[in-house]
Amino acid sequence: MRRNRFPLKAIIALIFAIACIVFLYLWISSWFSPERKAENVLKSFYEYEQNGQFASSWELFHSEMQNKWDKSEYIQDRAHVFINHFGVDTFEFEYTEPVKLDTWKMSDQSPSLSNVYQFTVILGYESKYGYLEIQQPVYITEEKENWVILWDYN
């Protein structure tokens, strides 16, 4: 007499389906993680800067940064330094993986912020002075449900 066993192929197919569902869940959730949101803002900021869209990049600043830099002053200063002084039209950038900081302050006078992600951004310029590379720590946090950029002024 033969026993009715669950076929081996069905077990393998079930395990494969469960693995696919778990992988898909993890992959989709990674796109909505705070780290990914911070990274997307970082990319947007520097893509705006690459294209000389300094008004758009300024909009991605935290309110503390916007208080530090008037929008028109920022636009003029960025264009003046990078385009006029360096003689460049654009630049390349790369960045490190984010490091989560529980608390961080932009300056001694600034309020303490929580859930901040730190990236190191490396900007590469082909300038009239030769190849220049600037390395800068960049901080990203959430403010009023938007992810925003900060620089260190300590």
Side-chain angles (χ1 to χ4, degrees):
M1 176 178 222
R2 257 179 92 174
R3 297 193 310 186
N4 284 336
R5 296 164 85 196
F6 203 59
L8 183 60
K9 287 183 181 180
I11 293 172
I12 292 172
L14 181 63
I15 291 171
F16 180 75
I18 291 170
C20 286
I21 290 169
V22 168
F23 174 77
L24 188 60
Y25 170 77
L26 293 173
W27 184 73
I28 290 171
S29 66
S30 75
W31 282 99
F32 300 104
S33 69
E35 293 89 355
R36 178 70 68 171
K37 290 176 183 178
E39 181 181 1
N40 288 340
V41 167
L42 182 81
K43 279 196 225 175
S44 294
F45 180 86
Y46 284 102
E47 286 169 358
Y48 286 141
E49 295 269 304
Q50 276 181 323
N51 295 312
Q53 297 173 333
F54 303 120
S56 296
S57 57
W58 184 89
E59 292 293 334
L60 295 177
F61 277 144
H62 187 277
S63 60
E64 288 290 314
M65 288 290 292
Q66 290 179 346
N67 291 337
K68 187 164 188 60
W69 288 92
D70 174 71
K71 188 175 188 176
S72 61
E73 178 188 8
Y74 179 79
I75 293 166
Q76 290 174 356
D77 201 46
R78 294 298 271 191
H80 179 73
V81 170
F82 293 106
I83 295 170
N84 295 344
H85 279 285
F86 287 179
V88 299
D89 294 328
T90 191
F91 59 89
E92 297 298 319
F93 71 95
E94 58 187 57
Y95 52 89
T96 61
E97 291 293 317
V99 175
K100 185 171 190 266
L101 306 174
D102 293 328
T103 59
W104 179 81
K105 292 174 77 169
M106 184 177 91
S107 70
D108 291 337
Q109 297 78 31
S110 299
S112 185
L113 303 171
S114 59
N115 296 320
V116 176
Y117 292 90
Q118 178 184 353
F119 294 83
T120 299
V121 176
I122 299 103
L123 307 170
Y125 298 91
E126 293 289 342
S127 81
K128 64 184 178 184
Y129 303 109
Y131 181 76
L132 301 173
E133 197 169 270
I134 297 174
Q135 182 172 318
Q136 180 180 26
V138 177
Y139 303 86
I140 301 177
T141 193
E142 195 170 15
E143 179 183 48
K144 298 178 185 169
E145 300 182 22
N146 293 314
W147 289 88
V148 289
I149 302 273
L150 294 123
W151 292 334
D152 191 344
Y153 286 93
N154 283 311

